[in-house]
């Protein structure tokens, strides 16, 4: 049985279709991200799962229980779901202890039990010793941990996160990604995590659900989305791909094609979906890390070199083509230099426009 199942979820605000036939499931213990640009319907989907927003149509099941269908909605507090918000919503006039204990108090746990569980949970999120601090006396990162502690202490079936790291500075944000994921793994709680940050989604998720304009564009493991983007939007939203228009010159079966780029650059390419025939135009996706210098390769002129420490982001002109490549930082290369380039054939994919 899936921990969460959503079928044909639609949410309409007047003329705006915020969520458009969204269907997906999460298995027990899975970490699933909803990823997409601002306004694509991530928060609305999450709020429907929590019961904070009503579905216009569709069905939501949490474990064996249907919590939304045909206008029948289970109230949020009966869904066994807790949410961590971007703003943390830590109560400033309460201590950390009182913030974290809140869920246990409202359900009437004993004082001794509450004390034990709060101490245990604060330890889990690395806040032992902060129990008596007030909300106003905490840094952003500490407030974030209080919010997580408050969400996990009642052991909900589902943990929902809405951009919980976006208010933190870059360094802390990266550390908290791994902390949060490690905590989720220890607790084994199914988690739905909303973010517009593709790197965050890639680093944390078992599975990414990529959304655009209220719809799911693609879902799969981070590697699937990166290496086999379903369409132009997926290819351009995740990573920093070269997307070039080419001409299919031969079909070899099993999704293998030859494409021509520019005047005379012939490449072997893979297509995840059928639909191309010789002579058709195709969008060709080449990731910058799959282009390298190679004396047996094709001729190009270096037009830009940006040294970024871990690597160099370079741009080349090859006839009418512009190609971006990530080269090792140790490579000596300067703008204006004539070079020869190689494109890893296993990494070239044909991508549908829509
Ligand atoms: N209460 C509301 N009334 C009317 N329109 C709304 C309401 N809430 C959201 N919308 C609209 O629904 C769409 C989806 O909004 P949602 O908040 O789900 O996006 P999001 O993917 O979470 O974006 P962000 O990354 O900016 O948080 C947007 O077009 C938004 O303007
Ligand atoms: Mg949002």
């Amino acid at each position: 049985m899936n921990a969460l199942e959503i079928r044909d979820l639609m949410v309409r605000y007047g003329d705006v279709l915020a969520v458009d036939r969204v269907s997906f499931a999460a298995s027990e213990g899975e970490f699933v991200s909803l990823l997409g640009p601002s306004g694509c319907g991530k928060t609305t989907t999450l709020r429907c799962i929590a019961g904070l927003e009503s579905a216009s149509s569709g069905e939501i099941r949490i474990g064996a229980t249907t919590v939304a269908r045909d206008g029948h909605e289970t109230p949020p507090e009966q869904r066994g779901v807790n949410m961590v918000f971007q703003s943390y919503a830590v109560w400033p006039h309460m201590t950390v202890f009182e913030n974290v204990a809140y869920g246990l108090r409202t359900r009437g746990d004993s004082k001794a039990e509450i004390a034990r569980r709060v101490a245990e949970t604060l330890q889990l999120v690395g806040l032992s010793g902060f129990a008596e601090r007030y909300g106003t006396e905490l840094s952003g990162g500490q407030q974030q941990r209080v919010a997580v502690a408050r969400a996990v202490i009642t052991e909900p079936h589902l943990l929902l996160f809405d951009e919980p790291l976006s208010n933190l500075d870059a360094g802390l944000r990266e550390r908290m990604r791994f902390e949060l994921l490690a905590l989720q793994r220890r607790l084994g709680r199914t988690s739905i995590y909303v973010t517009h940050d593709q790197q965050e989604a890639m680093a944390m998720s078992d599975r990414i659900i990529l959304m655009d304009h209220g719809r799911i564009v693609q879902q799969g493991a981070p590697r699937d989305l990166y290496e086999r983007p379903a369409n132009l939007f997926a290819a351009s939203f995740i990573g920093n791909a070269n997307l070039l228009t080419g001409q299919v010159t031969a079909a070899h079966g099993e999704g293998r094609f030859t494409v021509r780029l520019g005047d005379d650059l012939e490449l072997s390419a893979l297509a995840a979906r059928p639909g191309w025939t010789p002579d058709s135009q195709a969008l060709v996706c080449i990731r910058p890390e799959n282009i390298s210098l190679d004396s047996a390769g094709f001729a190009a002129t270096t037009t830009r070199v940006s040294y970024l420490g871990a690597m160099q982001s370079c741009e080349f002109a090859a006839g009418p083509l512009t190609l971006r490549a990530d080269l090792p930082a140790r490579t000596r290369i300067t703008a204006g230099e004539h070079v020869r380039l190689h494109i890893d054939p296993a990494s070239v994919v044909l991508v549908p426009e829509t």
Side-chain angles (χ1 to χ4, degrees):
M1 188 178 43
N2 284 318
L4 171 71
E5 204 164 320
I6 299 183
R7 246 186 256 150
D8 290 324
L9 182 69
M10 302 259 258
V11 181
R12 216 182 300 268
Y13 298 114
D15 288 343
V16 179
L17 201 51
V19 178
D20 186 2
R21 280 165 292 163
V22 161
S23 302
F24 69 91
S27 55
E28 202 60 55
E30 201 177 10
F31 194 106
V32 176
S33 290
L34 302 180
L35 171 68
S38 184
C40 75
K42 306 178 298 290
T43 295
T44 307
T45 303
L46 203 68
R47 289 174 60 85
C48 286
I49 301 169
L52 302 171
E53 201 75 58
S54 295
S56 303
S57 64
E59 185 179 331
I60 301 174
R61 258 191 10 219
I62 296 173
T65 313
T66 299
V67 296
R69 183 171 60 195
D70 306 330
H72 297 283
E73 304 252 347
T74 307
E77 64 279 9
Q78 289 169 25
R79 293 190 180 201
V81 163
N82 277 342
M83 189 149 158
V84 177
F85 298 90
Q86 179 176 358
S87 59
Y88 318 135
V90 168
W91 295 301
H93 58 285
M94 288 190 196
T95 63
V96 167
F97 183 95
E98 289 162 340
N99 264 281
V100 176
Y102 185 83
L104 301 182
R105 280 199 176 136
T106 52
R107 74 178 189 198
D109 287 12
S110 74
K111 246 183 157 158
E113 173 68 5
I114 292 173
R116 190 183 65 77
R117 293 287 307 283
V118 171
E120 192 181 279
T121 308
L122 288 181
Q123 170 136 39
L124 198 64
V125 299
L127 280 183
S128 298
F130 286 77
E132 296 316 315
R133 289 258 194 117
Y134 280 88
T136 49
E137 300 168 343
L138 299 171
S139 72
Q142 290 160 349
Q143 288 181 51
Q144 209 278 331
R145 285 166 215 238
V146 172
V148 170
R150 201 172 52 187
V152 303
I153 197 164
T154 54
E155 306 193 308
H157 303 308
L158 276 182
L159 284 170
L160 307 179
F161 298 92
D162 193 358
E163 313 244 12
L165 305 183
S166 54
N167 284 345
L168 306 177
D169 69 61
L172 185 57
R173 194 159 68 219
E174 222 178 298
R175 268 209 316 284
M176 287 300 292
R177 277 179 198 169
F178 300 113
E179 268 192 32
L180 205 57
L181 186 60
L183 178 67
Q184 189 268 346
R185 294 298 193 228
R186 278 204 297 282
L187 295 168
R189 298 285 148 178
T190 310
S191 300
I192 313 297
Y193 188 95
V194 162
T195 179
H196 64 268
D197 181 332
Q198 42 119 358
Q199 291 211 359
E200 199 170 287
M202 297 266 282
M204 297 180 78
S205 313
D206 295 316
R207 198 148 48 85
I208 295 174
I209 299 188
L210 179 64
M211 295 179 68
D212 188 30
H213 290 105
R215 295 194 188 161
I216 295 181
V217 174
Q218 186 173 9
Q219 50 176 308
R223 186 184 286 274
D224 299 336
L225 270 75
Y226 191 79
E227 295 181 0
R228 298 286 177 265
N231 64 15
L232 171 59
F233 171 80
S236 48
F237 192 78
I238 297 181
N240 178 28
N242 292 286
L243 290 161
L244 306 161
T245 306
Q247 196 83 28
V248 176
T249 55
H252 309 291
E254 301 192 333
R256 282 257 150 230
F257 296 88
T258 304
V259 282
R260 190 173 61 234
L261 289 176
D263 300 329
D264 54 3
L265 179 59
E266 296 245 322
L267 295 174
S268 159
L270 202 72
R273 275 205 255 156
W276 286 278
T277 50
D279 284 337
S280 59
Q281 269 206 351
L283 202 62
V284 182
C285 172
I286 302 168
R287 300 289 184 185
E289 64 274 23
N290 295 317
I291 302 179
S292 53
L293 297 183
D294 182 343
S295 55
F298 58 92
T301 306
T302 314
T303 51
R304 183 177 55 76
V305 177
S306 306
Y307 176 81
L308 298 175
M311 52 98 171
Q312 294 176 102
S313 169
C314 304
E315 199 174 84
F316 300 96
L321 298 174
T322 301
L323 291 167
R324 274 173 291 108
D326 293 345
L327 300 185
R330 63 176 183 280
T331 305
R332 293 286 164 187
I333 187 166
T334 48
E337 204 172 318
H338 296 290
V339 295
R340 288 190 169 270
L341 298 177
H342 172 74
I343 297 177
D344 174 6
S347 68
V348 179
V349 285
L350 302 187
V351 177
E353 293 269 348
T354 52

